[in-house]
Amino acid sequence: MISPFRAGLAGGLTGLALLAACNSSPSTKSVSAGSPASAPAADSSQSTPSTVPVSTDFGKMPDGQQAQLFTLTNAHGLKATVTDYGGTLTSMLVPDKAGKLGDVVLGFADVAGYTSALYVQENPFFGALIGRYGNRIKLGKFTLDGKPYSLPTNNAPNSLHGGTRGFDKRLWTAQPGTSPEGQTLTLSYVSADGEQGYPGTLTTQVVYTLTANDALRIAYTATADQPTVLNLTNHSYFNLGYGQTKDILGHELTLNADRFTPVDNTLIPTGVLQSVAGTPMDFRQPHTIGERIKQVPGAAPGGYDHNWVLADAMRPTPALAATVHEPVSGRTMEVHTDQPGVQFYSGNFLKGNLKGKGDVAYVQHYGFCLETQHFPDSPNQPKFPSTVLRPGETFKSVTEYRFGVRK
Protein backbone atom coordinates (compact mmCIF):
# COMPACT_ATOMS: atom_id res chain seq x y z
CA MET A 1 0.00 0.00 0.00
CA ILE A 2 1.33 3.43 -0.91
CA SER A 3 1.10 6.06 1.83
CA PRO A 4 -0.30 9.54 1.02
CA PHE A 5 3.23 10.98 1.48
CA ARG A 6 4.79 8.46 -0.91
CA ALA A 7 2.03 8.92 -3.45
CA GLY A 8 2.75 12.64 -3.43
CA LEU A 9 6.44 12.07 -4.06
CA ALA A 10 5.98 10.90 -7.62
CA GLY A 11 4.12 14.08 -8.52
CA GLY A 12 7.29 16.18 -8.44
CA LEU A 13 8.53 15.17 -11.88
CA THR A 14 5.09 15.67 -13.37
CA GLY A 15 4.96 19.09 -11.72
CA LEU A 16 8.29 20.05 -13.21
CA ALA A 17 7.17 19.05 -16.68
CA LEU A 18 3.93 20.97 -16.44
CA LEU A 19 5.68 24.02 -15.02
CA ALA A 20 8.17 23.96 -17.87
CA ALA A 21 5.31 23.86 -20.36
CA CYS A 22 3.58 26.75 -18.61
CA ASN A 23 6.78 28.78 -18.63
CA SER A 24 7.64 28.27 -22.32
CA SER A 25 6.40 31.73 -23.35
CA PRO A 26 8.54 34.45 -21.75
CA SER A 27 6.97 37.70 -20.59
CA THR A 28 7.31 40.67 -22.92
CA LYS A 29 7.60 43.37 -20.28
CA SER A 30 10.82 45.38 -20.09
CA VAL A 31 12.58 46.56 -16.95
CA SER A 32 14.81 49.59 -16.48
CA ALA A 33 17.67 49.68 -14.02
CA GLY A 34 17.46 51.38 -10.67
CA SER A 35 16.46 50.47 -7.12
CA PRO A 36 15.89 51.81 -3.61
CA ALA A 37 19.03 52.74 -1.76
CA SER A 38 18.77 49.50 0.22
CA ALA A 39 19.05 47.26 -2.84
CA PRO A 40 22.07 46.41 -5.02
CA ALA A 41 22.13 48.18 -8.36
CA ALA A 42 21.03 46.32 -11.46
CA ASP A 43 23.32 45.96 -14.47
CA SER A 44 21.35 47.59 -17.28
CA SER A 45 24.05 46.79 -19.83
CA GLN A 46 23.33 43.08 -19.62
CA SER A 47 20.33 42.54 -21.86
CA THR A 48 21.02 38.82 -22.22
CA PRO A 49 22.12 36.75 -19.21
CA SER A 50 25.22 34.58 -19.37
CA THR A 51 24.83 30.87 -19.92
CA VAL A 52 25.29 29.94 -16.26
CA PRO A 53 25.09 31.88 -12.97
CA VAL A 54 28.12 33.99 -12.07
CA SER A 55 30.05 33.03 -8.91
CA THR A 56 31.83 35.41 -6.52
CA ASP A 57 33.38 35.09 -3.06
CA PHE A 58 30.91 35.64 -0.22
CA GLY A 59 33.44 35.67 2.62
CA LYS A 60 34.90 33.11 4.98
CA MET A 61 32.94 31.15 7.54
CA PRO A 62 34.15 30.97 11.16
CA ASP A 63 35.83 27.61 10.43
CA GLY A 64 37.82 29.18 7.58
CA GLN A 65 35.85 27.68 4.71
CA GLN A 66 35.11 29.99 1.79
CA ALA A 67 31.46 30.65 0.97
CA GLN A 68 30.41 31.44 -2.58
CA LEU A 69 27.61 33.61 -3.93
CA PHE A 70 25.88 32.74 -7.21
CA THR A 71 23.88 35.26 -9.23
CA LEU A 72 21.08 33.95 -11.43
CA THR A 73 19.83 36.41 -14.06
CA ASN A 74 17.09 36.37 -16.68
CA ALA A 75 16.59 38.43 -19.84
CA HIS A 76 14.38 40.96 -18.02
CA GLY A 77 17.22 41.81 -15.63
CA LEU A 78 15.81 40.02 -12.62
CA LYS A 79 18.51 38.66 -10.33
CA ALA A 80 18.47 36.08 -7.58
CA THR A 81 21.59 35.62 -5.46
CA VAL A 82 22.09 32.36 -3.57
CA THR A 83 24.99 31.32 -1.37
CA ASP A 84 26.17 27.77 -0.81
CA TYR A 85 26.13 28.53 2.92
CA GLY A 86 22.75 27.20 3.97
CA GLY A 87 21.53 27.29 0.37
CA THR A 88 20.44 30.79 1.32
CA LEU A 89 18.59 33.20 -0.96
CA THR A 90 20.35 36.46 -0.07
CA SER A 91 18.63 38.86 -2.48
CA MET A 92 15.96 38.93 -5.17
CA LEU A 93 15.82 41.91 -7.53
CA VAL A 94 12.41 42.38 -9.16
CA PRO A 95 10.76 45.41 -10.81
CA ASP A 96 8.17 47.74 -9.30
CA LYS A 97 5.30 49.32 -11.25
CA ALA A 98 7.70 51.94 -12.66
CA GLY A 99 9.97 49.19 -13.99
CA LYS A 100 12.72 49.84 -11.42
CA LEU A 101 14.45 46.88 -9.85
CA GLY A 102 14.49 46.53 -6.07
CA ASP A 103 15.46 43.86 -3.58
CA VAL A 104 12.50 42.07 -1.97
CA VAL A 105 14.14 39.64 0.49
CA LEU A 106 15.80 40.17 3.86
CA GLY A 107 19.45 39.23 4.14
CA PHE A 108 23.07 40.34 4.39
CA ALA A 109 25.84 41.43 2.03
CA ASP A 110 28.28 38.67 3.06
CA VAL A 111 28.45 35.42 4.99
CA ALA A 112 29.54 37.21 8.17
CA GLY A 113 26.01 38.50 8.59
CA TYR A 114 24.66 34.94 8.69
CA THR A 115 27.31 33.63 11.08
CA SER A 116 27.62 36.50 13.60
CA ALA A 117 27.00 35.80 17.27
CA LEU A 118 23.93 38.05 17.25
CA TYR A 119 22.46 36.31 14.22
CA VAL A 120 23.05 32.87 15.75
CA GLN A 121 21.45 34.06 18.98
CA GLU A 122 18.31 35.43 17.30
CA ASN A 123 18.33 32.72 14.62
CA PRO A 124 15.78 34.11 12.11
CA PHE A 125 16.82 31.68 9.31
CA PHE A 126 16.82 34.45 6.65
CA GLY A 127 16.42 32.89 3.21
CA ALA A 128 17.82 29.50 4.18
CA LEU A 129 17.03 25.98 3.09
CA ILE A 130 15.51 24.22 6.09
CA GLY A 131 15.98 20.58 7.03
CA ARG A 132 15.94 17.88 8.07
CA TYR A 133 12.55 18.94 9.45
CA GLY A 134 11.13 22.41 8.85
CA ASN A 135 8.97 23.88 11.61
CA ARG A 136 8.51 22.52 15.13
CA ILE A 137 8.56 19.04 16.64
CA LYS A 138 7.04 18.91 20.11
CA LEU A 139 9.58 18.58 22.93
CA GLY A 140 12.14 17.47 20.33
CA LYS A 141 10.85 13.91 20.43
CA PHE A 142 9.14 11.48 18.07
CA THR A 143 8.78 7.73 17.60
CA LEU A 144 9.31 5.99 14.26
CA ASP A 145 8.61 2.28 13.78
CA GLY A 146 8.49 1.88 17.54
CA LYS A 147 11.88 3.49 18.19
CA PRO A 148 12.10 6.82 20.06
CA TYR A 149 14.29 9.67 18.84
CA SER A 150 15.45 12.85 20.59
CA LEU A 151 16.36 16.10 18.85
CA PRO A 152 17.98 19.35 20.05
CA THR A 153 15.39 21.65 21.66
CA ASN A 154 16.57 24.92 20.16
CA ASN A 155 13.14 26.61 20.47
CA ALA A 156 12.31 25.68 24.05
CA PRO A 157 10.67 23.40 24.75
CA ASN A 158 10.58 22.24 21.11
CA SER A 159 12.91 21.46 18.23
CA LEU A 160 12.75 23.97 15.37
CA HIS A 161 13.94 23.83 11.74
CA GLY A 162 16.25 20.85 12.09
CA GLY A 163 17.92 21.73 15.39
CA THR A 164 20.91 23.75 16.54
CA ARG A 165 22.83 23.10 13.31
CA GLY A 166 20.34 22.24 10.63
CA PHE A 167 20.68 22.47 6.86
CA ASP A 168 20.68 26.28 7.14
CA LYS A 169 24.11 26.19 8.81
CA ARG A 170 25.80 23.74 6.43
CA LEU A 171 27.97 24.38 3.38
CA TRP A 172 26.24 22.81 0.39
CA THR A 173 27.93 21.58 -2.77
CA ALA A 174 26.95 23.96 -5.57
CA GLN A 175 26.81 23.47 -9.31
CA PRO A 176 25.72 26.39 -11.52
CA GLY A 177 24.02 25.45 -14.77
CA THR A 178 21.29 26.21 -17.24
CA SER A 179 18.03 24.70 -18.45
CA PRO A 180 15.38 25.50 -21.08
CA GLU A 181 13.52 27.45 -18.37
CA GLY A 182 16.47 29.57 -17.22
CA GLN A 183 19.68 29.63 -15.22
CA THR A 184 19.97 27.06 -12.44
CA LEU A 185 21.90 26.42 -9.26
CA THR A 186 21.96 22.83 -8.04
CA LEU A 187 22.79 22.42 -4.35
CA SER A 188 23.55 19.07 -2.72
CA TYR A 189 24.00 18.01 0.88
CA VAL A 190 24.43 14.61 2.55
CA SER A 191 23.16 14.52 6.13
CA ALA A 192 24.79 11.72 8.12
CA ASP A 193 22.90 9.13 10.11
CA GLY A 194 22.27 10.58 13.56
CA GLU A 195 22.93 14.19 12.57
CA GLN A 196 20.91 16.39 14.95
CA GLY A 197 19.29 13.18 16.21
CA TYR A 198 17.61 12.14 12.95
CA PRO A 199 17.91 8.54 11.75
CA GLY A 200 19.41 7.48 8.44
CA THR A 201 21.74 9.08 5.93
CA LEU A 202 19.73 11.59 3.89
CA THR A 203 20.88 12.78 0.48
CA THR A 204 19.23 16.06 -0.55
CA GLN A 205 19.36 18.03 -3.78
CA VAL A 206 17.74 21.43 -4.29
CA VAL A 207 17.62 23.18 -7.65
CA TYR A 208 16.99 26.94 -7.85
CA THR A 209 15.82 28.14 -11.29
CA LEU A 210 15.22 31.76 -12.29
CA THR A 211 12.76 31.34 -15.12
CA ALA A 212 12.25 33.38 -18.26
CA ASN A 213 8.86 34.53 -17.00
CA ASP A 214 10.14 35.96 -13.71
CA ALA A 215 9.64 33.10 -11.28
CA LEU A 216 12.06 31.64 -8.76
CA ARG A 217 11.48 27.88 -8.77
CA ILE A 218 12.78 25.67 -5.95
CA ALA A 219 12.73 21.93 -6.67
CA TYR A 220 13.57 19.51 -3.85
CA THR A 221 14.67 15.85 -4.09
CA ALA A 222 15.70 13.55 -1.23
CA THR A 223 16.43 9.89 -0.54
CA ALA A 224 17.33 8.02 2.65
CA ASP A 225 18.98 4.71 3.48
CA GLN A 226 16.86 4.22 6.63
CA PRO A 227 13.33 5.28 7.58
CA THR A 228 13.40 8.92 8.63
CA VAL A 229 11.18 12.00 8.80
CA LEU A 230 11.57 14.87 6.39
CA ASN A 231 10.11 18.34 5.89
CA LEU A 232 12.12 20.55 3.52
CA THR A 233 11.33 24.21 2.88
CA ASN A 234 12.84 27.63 2.18
CA HIS A 235 12.68 30.31 4.87
CA SER A 236 12.90 33.54 2.86
CA TYR A 237 11.50 36.70 4.40
CA PHE A 238 9.87 38.89 1.77
CA ASN A 239 9.14 42.60 1.78
CA LEU A 240 7.84 43.71 -1.62
CA GLY A 241 8.32 47.34 -0.58
CA TYR A 242 11.82 46.87 0.86
CA GLY A 243 13.36 50.30 1.49
CA GLN A 244 10.07 52.07 0.73
CA THR A 245 7.77 50.85 3.51
CA LYS A 246 8.42 50.58 7.24
CA ASP A 247 7.00 47.06 7.53
CA ILE A 248 4.88 44.47 5.73
CA LEU A 249 1.60 45.20 7.53
CA GLY A 250 0.20 47.02 4.48
CA HIS A 251 0.85 44.08 2.14
CA GLU A 252 -2.37 42.51 0.88
CA LEU A 253 -2.43 38.73 1.29
CA THR A 254 -4.67 36.05 -0.17
CA LEU A 255 -4.34 32.44 1.05
CA ASN A 256 -6.20 29.71 -0.81
CA ALA A 257 -6.96 27.68 2.31
CA ASP A 258 -10.19 27.16 4.20
CA ARG A 259 -8.55 25.50 7.24
CA PHE A 260 -5.56 26.07 9.51
CA THR A 261 -3.92 24.24 12.39
CA PRO A 262 -4.47 26.04 15.73
CA VAL A 263 -1.50 25.94 18.10
CA ASP A 264 -0.81 25.87 21.82
CA ASN A 265 1.23 28.50 23.63
CA THR A 266 4.48 26.93 22.37
CA LEU A 267 3.25 27.08 18.74
CA ILE A 268 2.68 23.31 18.48
CA PRO A 269 -0.50 22.29 16.60
CA THR A 270 -3.32 20.96 18.75
CA GLY A 271 -4.17 18.37 16.10
CA VAL A 272 -7.37 20.11 15.03
CA LEU A 273 -7.96 21.27 11.45
CA GLN A 274 -10.08 24.35 12.09
CA SER A 275 -12.12 26.35 9.61
CA VAL A 276 -10.79 29.84 8.97
CA ALA A 277 -14.34 31.19 8.69
CA GLY A 278 -15.07 33.98 11.15
CA THR A 279 -11.45 34.19 12.33
CA PRO A 280 -8.50 36.53 11.60
CA MET A 281 -6.97 33.54 9.77
CA ASP A 282 -9.41 33.89 6.86
CA PHE A 283 -7.46 35.19 3.87
CA ARG A 284 -9.62 33.60 1.20
CA GLN A 285 -10.33 37.17 0.17
CA PRO A 286 -7.49 39.74 0.23
CA HIS A 287 -6.73 41.41 3.57
CA THR A 288 -3.75 43.47 4.63
CA ILE A 289 -1.47 41.57 6.97
CA GLY A 290 -1.88 44.21 9.67
CA GLU A 291 -5.67 44.51 9.48
CA ARG A 292 -6.41 41.81 12.08
CA ILE A 293 -2.97 40.87 13.34
CA LYS A 294 -3.72 41.93 16.93
CA GLN A 295 -6.68 39.55 16.98
CA VAL A 296 -4.53 36.49 16.33
CA PRO A 297 -4.55 34.17 19.36
CA GLY A 298 -1.29 32.73 20.62
CA ALA A 299 1.86 33.35 22.56
CA ALA A 300 3.83 36.61 22.76
CA PRO A 301 4.95 38.57 20.82
CA GLY A 302 1.82 38.00 18.77
CA GLY A 303 1.09 37.80 15.10
CA TYR A 304 0.79 35.11 12.48
CA ASP A 305 2.95 32.01 12.82
CA HIS A 306 0.59 29.24 11.74
CA ASN A 307 0.19 26.51 9.16
CA TRP A 308 -2.63 26.83 6.62
CA VAL A 309 -4.05 23.62 5.15
CA LEU A 310 -3.87 23.67 1.35
CA ALA A 311 -4.71 19.99 0.86
CA ASP A 312 -5.00 16.71 2.77
CA ALA A 313 -1.93 15.26 1.04
CA MET A 314 0.76 16.29 -1.41
CA ARG A 315 -0.79 17.40 -4.69
CA PRO A 316 0.26 15.82 -7.99
CA THR A 317 1.17 19.22 -9.48
CA PRO A 318 1.82 22.68 -8.00
CA ALA A 319 -1.20 24.94 -7.56
CA LEU A 320 -1.72 28.52 -6.44
CA ALA A 321 -1.40 28.74 -2.65
CA ALA A 322 -1.00 32.46 -1.95
CA THR A 323 -0.91 35.89 -3.59
CA VAL A 324 0.69 39.01 -2.12
CA HIS A 325 0.34 42.59 -3.41
CA GLU A 326 2.21 45.61 -2.09
CA PRO A 327 0.31 48.79 -3.13
CA VAL A 328 3.19 51.32 -2.91
CA SER A 329 5.53 49.49 -5.27
CA GLY A 330 2.81 47.64 -7.14
CA ARG A 331 4.81 44.41 -6.84
CA THR A 332 2.98 41.10 -6.65
CA MET A 333 4.11 37.61 -5.72
CA GLU A 334 2.28 34.34 -6.27
CA VAL A 335 3.25 31.14 -4.46
CA HIS A 336 2.57 27.87 -6.28
CA THR A 337 3.31 24.54 -4.59
CA ASP A 338 2.49 20.86 -4.46
CA GLN A 339 2.91 20.80 -0.67
CA PRO A 340 -0.16 20.30 1.57
CA GLY A 341 0.58 23.25 3.84
CA VAL A 342 2.06 26.73 3.99
CA GLN A 343 3.37 28.41 7.13
CA PHE A 344 2.58 32.12 7.08
CA TYR A 345 4.85 33.98 9.49
CA SER A 346 4.63 37.74 9.94
CA GLY A 347 8.13 38.36 11.34
CA ASN A 348 6.91 38.56 14.94
CA PHE A 349 10.26 37.76 16.53
CA LEU A 350 12.34 40.32 14.62
CA LYS A 351 13.62 42.85 17.15
CA GLY A 352 15.47 45.49 15.12
CA ASN A 353 18.86 44.33 16.40
CA LEU A 354 19.91 42.87 13.06
CA LYS A 355 20.77 45.27 10.24
CA GLY A 356 20.81 43.96 6.70
CA LYS A 357 21.59 45.22 3.21
CA GLY A 358 21.55 49.00 2.99
CA ASP A 359 21.90 49.18 6.80
CA VAL A 360 18.15 48.54 7.14
CA ALA A 361 17.10 47.54 10.67
CA TYR A 362 14.95 44.42 10.58
CA VAL A 363 12.30 45.48 13.06
CA GLN A 364 9.25 43.44 14.02
CA HIS A 365 7.06 42.71 10.98
CA TYR A 366 9.65 43.96 8.49
CA GLY A 367 9.38 40.72 6.51
CA PHE A 368 6.93 37.86 6.05
CA CYS A 369 7.46 34.19 5.19
CA LEU A 370 5.34 31.79 3.17
CA GLU A 371 7.04 28.46 3.86
CA THR A 372 5.58 25.66 1.74
CA GLN A 373 5.78 22.40 3.66
CA HIS A 374 4.07 19.58 5.51
CA PHE A 375 2.39 20.43 8.79
CA PRO A 376 4.34 21.17 12.00
CA ASP A 377 4.85 18.27 14.42
CA SER A 378 3.57 15.74 11.88
CA PRO A 379 5.73 12.90 13.31
CA ASN A 380 3.61 13.17 16.48
CA GLN A 381 0.29 13.80 14.73
CA PRO A 382 -1.04 10.59 13.10
CA LYS A 383 -3.98 12.44 11.49
CA PHE A 384 -1.64 14.82 9.60
CA PRO A 385 -0.15 13.91 6.21
CA SER A 386 2.82 11.63 6.85
CA THR A 387 6.37 12.94 6.63
CA VAL A 388 8.02 9.51 6.80
CA LEU A 389 10.55 8.78 4.04
CA ARG A 390 11.66 5.17 3.60
CA PRO A 391 14.50 3.52 1.66
CA GLY A 392 13.56 3.06 -1.99
CA GLU A 393 11.33 6.15 -2.00
CA THR A 394 12.28 9.49 -3.51
CA PHE A 395 10.85 12.67 -2.11
CA LYS A 396 10.17 15.30 -4.78
CA SER A 397 8.51 18.69 -4.41
CA VAL A 398 8.32 21.96 -6.34
CA THR A 399 7.51 25.50 -5.20
CA GLU A 400 7.53 28.63 -7.36
CA TYR A 401 7.55 32.28 -6.29
CA ARG A 402 6.21 34.19 -9.32
CA PHE A 403 6.80 37.94 -9.40
CA GLY A 404 4.85 40.60 -11.27
CA VAL A 405 3.37 44.09 -10.96
CA ARG A 406 -0.07 45.58 -10.62
CA LYS A 407 -0.41 49.10 -11.98
Side-chain angles (χ1 to χ4, degrees), residues 156-333:
N158 307 311
S159 184
L160 175 67
H161 294 330
T164 52
R165 192 173 176 223
F167 290 6
D168 62 297
K169 295 177 179 66
R170 306 286 178 170
L171 194 65
W172 292 61
T173 300
Q175 180 62 53
T178 188
S179 74
E181 290 77 40
Q183 291 185 352
T184 64
L185 181 67
T186 300
L187 296 165
S188 303
Y189 178 69
V190 178
S191 174
D193 178 26
E195 185 176 284
Q196 295 293 290
Y198 289 91
T201 299
L202 183 80
T203 301
T204 302
Q205 183 181 87
V206 179
V207 181
Y208 284 94
T209 304
L210 182 59
T211 72
N213 64 343
D214 303 346
L216 183 67
R217 178 188 304 157
I218 310 176
Y220 306 85
T221 306
T223 57
D225 66 354
Q226 297 179 42
T228 192
V229 295
L230 175 72
N231 196 22
L232 300 174
T233 191
N234 176 275
H235 205 293
S236 288
Y237 289 66
F238 295 96
N239 183 328
L240 302 184
Y242 193 121
Q244 296 176 287
T245 58
K246 64 179 181 178
D247 54 42
I248 47 84
L249 299 181
H251 286 53
E252 298 166 352
L253 172 66
T254 306
L255 280 170
N256 294 335
D258 58 10
R259 293 169 294 165
F260 75 104
T261 51
V263 294
D264 64 18
N265 61 5
T266 70
L267 297 174
I268 293 292
T270 63
V272 174
L273 303 183
Q274 182 179 329
S275 170
V276 299
T279 76
M281 322 302 278
D282 191 350
F283 284 91
R284 291 174 294 180
Q285 298 297 321
H287 290 274
T288 63
I289 293 173
E291 181 180 342
R292 300 164 298 170
I293 196 167
K294 293 184 178 180
Q295 302 172 28
V296 177
Y304 296 99
D305 194 2
H306 300 73
N307 168 69
W308 270 254
V309 179
L310 303 172
D312 293 317
M314 281 191 70
R315 297 180 284 198
T317 57
L320 180 63
T323 303
V324 186
H325 172 232
E326 199 287 298
V328 175
S329 67
R331 292 188 182 97
T332 64
M333 184 179 77

Side-chain angles (χ1 to χ4, degrees), residues 345-370:
Y345 171 53
S346 54
N348 313 325
F349 293 97
L350 297 178
K351 302 174 182 178
N353 298 327
L354 295 169
K355 289 189 176 182
K357 296 162 293 185
D359 204 34
V360 174
Y362 293 149
V363 298
Q364 186 181 44
H365 307 312
Y366 195 76
F368 69 90
C369 303
L370 289 167

Side-chain angles (χ1 to χ4, degrees), residues 110-183:
D110 54 41
V111 75
Y114 298 93
T115 57
S116 71
L118 180 59
Y119 182 85
V120 172
Q121 177 185 339
E122 299 203 358
N123 217 15
F125 303 95
F126 288 152
L129 295 178
I130 302 298
R132 193 174 294 193
Y133 196 95
N135 221 307
R136 295 171 176 86
I137 293 180
K138 186 176 182 178
L139 303 178
K141 298 181 182 299
F142 68 93
T143 299
L144 178 58
D145 295 340
K147 183 177 179 179
Y149 294 93
S150 295
L151 314 171
T153 51
N154 58 323
N155 187 239
N158 307 311
S159 184
L160 175 67
H161 294 330
T164 52
R165 192 173 176 223
F167 290 6
D168 62 297
K169 295 177 179 66
R170 306 286 178 170
L171 194 65
W172 292 61
T173 300
Q175 180 62 53
T178 188
S179 74
E181 290 77 40
Q183 291 185 352

